[in-house]
């Protein structure tokens, strides 16, 4: 583990059991690293395992196998005081801000709650600190006495961000934190996060299905498919650096003003959720699949752009 590495996932697996008792893998053999001050993106279709990874990192659920190493320490079995300290260091911003609020709790009470629970300050100081945080995220102190239903989605997300940054965490995980907001509000929230990150230098993990958004803010992008990482793209030029057929399919599916008049070309892929029992997991949908793709599991290889791709033919 490098000195500058703040978080490392090693061979993470997560199994769930359905109503019939059958076990299925939601996450399979996922490894990733996060450096201090770095923004890492995790992208992929709905159901690919992005949010499961986020919940494992934030210790909301436990992994079935593998290790989560934070600042050189394996935190998979943390309990009591050590776990509480970890919760303070790793904060999560969810997709639907309203779901994180109690409808009977005013914004001020919501904001000061963690500062008191973590014994950071007394109630009087916490109240003043909460006002300062609201100013940072562009809201005035009058919001302290409002209820959640009196605020818009964008305003609520700003309050959630204020509470998260107030704890001065090492890592902030954003799980589709802008996808439920209007486009103009999305831009405001992203700009706000970038400004705060520049001032505090926290590390961040951005979970999204929006490749354009990931490209604009992330230093490194992990592409997930059916619970596995299939490509790791360094830098912020996805279109140029992407090599895996699945990543290219995601790029082809993005509508833009420039290609809206064109017929969408899905490269003949069969849109099926089936998973190959052996060989490459993407082979049932891949237009470039050859015999080896169905028979042998590929290994990561580094391409000319310095990115890592899990593919036989790339």
């Amino acid at each position: 583990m490098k000195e500058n590495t703040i978080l490392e996932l090693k061979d993470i697996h997560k199994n769930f059991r359905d109503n019939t008792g059958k076990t299925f893998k939601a996450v399979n053999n996922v490894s990733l690293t996060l450096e201090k001050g770095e923004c890492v993106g995790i992208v992929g279709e709905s159901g690919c395992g992005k949010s499961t990874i986020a919940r494992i990192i934030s210790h909301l659920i436990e992994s079935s196998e593998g290790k989560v190493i934070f600042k050189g320490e394996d935190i998979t079995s943390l309990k009591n005081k050590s776990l509480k300290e970890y919760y303070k260091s790793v904060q999560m911003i969810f997709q639907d801000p309203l779901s994180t609020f109690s409808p009977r709790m005013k914004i001020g009470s919501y904001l000061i709650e963690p500062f008191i629970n973590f014994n950071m300050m007394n109630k009087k100081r916490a109240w003043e600190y909460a006002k300062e945080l609201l100013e940072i995220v562009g809201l005035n102190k009058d919001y302290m006495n409002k209820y959640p239903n009196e605020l818009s989605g964008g305003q609520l997300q700003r309050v959630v961000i204020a509470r998260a940054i107030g704890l001065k965490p090492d890592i902030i995980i954003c799980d589709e934190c802008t996808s439920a907001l209007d486009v103009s509000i999305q831009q405001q929230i992203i700009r706000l996060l970038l400004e705060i990150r520049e001032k505090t230098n926290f590390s961040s993990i951005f979970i999204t299905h929006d490749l354009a958004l990931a490209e604009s803010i992330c230093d490194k992008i992990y592409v997930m498919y059916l619970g596995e990482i299939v490509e790791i793209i360094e830098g912020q030029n996805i279109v140029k650096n992407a090599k895996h057929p699945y990543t290219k399919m995601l790029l082809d599916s993005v509508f833009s003003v420039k290609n809206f008049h064109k017929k969408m070309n899905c490269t003949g892929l069969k849109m099926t959720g089936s998973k190959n029992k052996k060989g490459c997991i993407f082979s049932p949908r891949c237009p470039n699949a050859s015999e080896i793709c169905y028979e042998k599991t590929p290994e990561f290889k580094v391409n000319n752009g310095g990115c890592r791709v899990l593919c036989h033919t790339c």
Side-chain angles (χ1 to χ4, degrees):
M1 186 171 181
K2 296 179 182 178
E3 184 179 345
N4 202 42
T5 301
I6 191 170
L7 179 76
E8 185 176 6
L9 269 59
K10 287 188 174 181
D11 305 322
I12 293 294
H13 298 255
K14 180 60 182 178
N15 302 329
F16 289 105
R17 187 168 292 176
D18 61 20
N19 295 332
T20 65
K22 185 178 179 181
T23 300
F24 67 95
K25 281 193 174 185
V27 173
N28 184 37
N29 198 34
V30 167
S31 297
L32 64 80
T33 58
L34 176 67
E35 309 294 329
K36 291 179 181 178
E38 184 181 39
C39 179
V40 162
I42 305 178
V43 303
E45 296 168 298
S46 297
C48 71
K50 305 187 300 294
S51 294
T52 302
I53 288 292
R55 283 161 173 74
I56 289 172
I57 295 172
S58 57
H59 219 287
L60 296 178
I61 60 175
E62 294 184 359
S63 61
S64 303
E65 296 178 48
K67 294 181 179 181
V68 179
I69 300 173
F70 175 69
K71 292 184 175 180
E73 179 184 0
D74 184 5
I75 59 91
T76 48
S77 301
L78 283 183
K79 292 182 180 179
N80 303 325
K81 187 177 180 180
S82 297
L83 181 57
K84 185 176 181 180
E85 190 64 28
Y86 181 74
Y87 284 143
K88 179 183 174 183
S89 300
V90 180
Q91 289 291 299
M92 190 161 174
I93 301 174
F94 294 93
Q95 178 177 353
D96 180 14
L98 187 59
S99 65
T100 64
F101 290 85
S102 166
R104 298 181 180 180
M105 183 182 288
K106 289 185 178 180
I107 298 303
S109 300
Y110 169 85
L111 281 173
I112 69 172
E113 185 180 46
F115 312 135
I116 296 173
N117 288 346
F118 285 113
N119 299 316
M120 294 174 62
M121 56 192 75
N122 59 36
K123 187 174 182 179
K124 182 178 180 181
R125 173 63 189 124
W127 193 262
E128 294 304 314
Y129 184 44
K131 291 179 182 178
E132 295 171 14
L133 291 171
L134 285 179
E135 292 288 341
I136 291 174
V137 298
L139 300 174
N140 63 53
K141 62 183 180 180
D142 295 338
Y143 283 87
M144 294 283 286
N145 295 310
K146 293 181 180 291
Y147 286 98
N149 66 306
E150 298 180 87
L151 276 66
S152 68
Q155 290 169 334
L156 287 173
Q157 200 65 292
R158 286 174 181 268
V159 174
V160 174
I161 292 170
R163 175 163 144 155
I165 64 172
L167 290 168
K168 299 180 180 178
D170 295 294
I171 300 172
I172 293 181
I173 304 172
C174 303
D175 187 9
E176 300 279 12
C177 68
T178 63
S179 61
L181 306 175
D182 292 337
V183 174
S184 60
I185 305 300
Q186 287 182 22
Q187 294 175 345
Q188 293 176 21
I189 296 298
I190 293 301
R191 193 179 303 115
L192 173 62
L193 284 169
L194 291 175
E195 290 173 358
I196 296 171
R197 177 189 165 197
E198 190 174 330
K199 293 177 182 177
T200 61
N201 200 38
F202 63 81
S203 302
S204 54
I205 298 174
F206 217 91
I207 313 291
T208 182
H209 62 271
D210 188 336
L211 287 172
L213 177 59
E215 182 179 37
S216 65
I217 66 172
C218 297
D219 303 303
K220 181 167 55 181
I221 297 171
Y222 290 80
V223 182
M224 286 193 72
Y225 177 72
L226 291 183
E228 297 187 23
I229 302 294
V230 296
E231 187 165 20
I232 305 170
I233 304 174
E234 301 282 352
Q236 297 182 327
N237 195 336
I238 300 180
V239 176
K240 179 182 177 182
N241 294 330
K243 302 298 179 185
H244 198 282
Y246 175 62
T247 309
K248 291 182 177 181
M249 184 204 76
L250 292 177
L251 290 168
D252 286 343
S253 67
V254 176
F255 283 93
S256 70
V257 174
K258 291 182 179 179
N259 66 12
F260 184 78
H261 66 284
K262 298 179 181 179
K263 182 179 180 181
M264 292 303 296
N265 178 20
C266 292
T267 61
L269 299 180
K270 296 179 179 179
M271 302 303 288
T272 171
S274 62
K275 185 174 181 178
N276 197 9
K277 293 183 179 180
K278 60 179 181 177
C280 175
I281 59 169
F282 190 62
S283 57
R285 296 174 67 180
C286 183
N288 304 326
S290 59
E291 185 176 347
I292 192 174
C293 300
Y294 294 96
E295 298 297 330
K296 184 179 179 181
T297 302
E299 296 181 358
F300 274 107
K301 56 186 178 182
V302 181
N303 61 33
N304 294 333
C307 304
R308 299 178 67 199
V309 59
L310 191 70
C311 182
H312 288 298
T313 60
C314 293

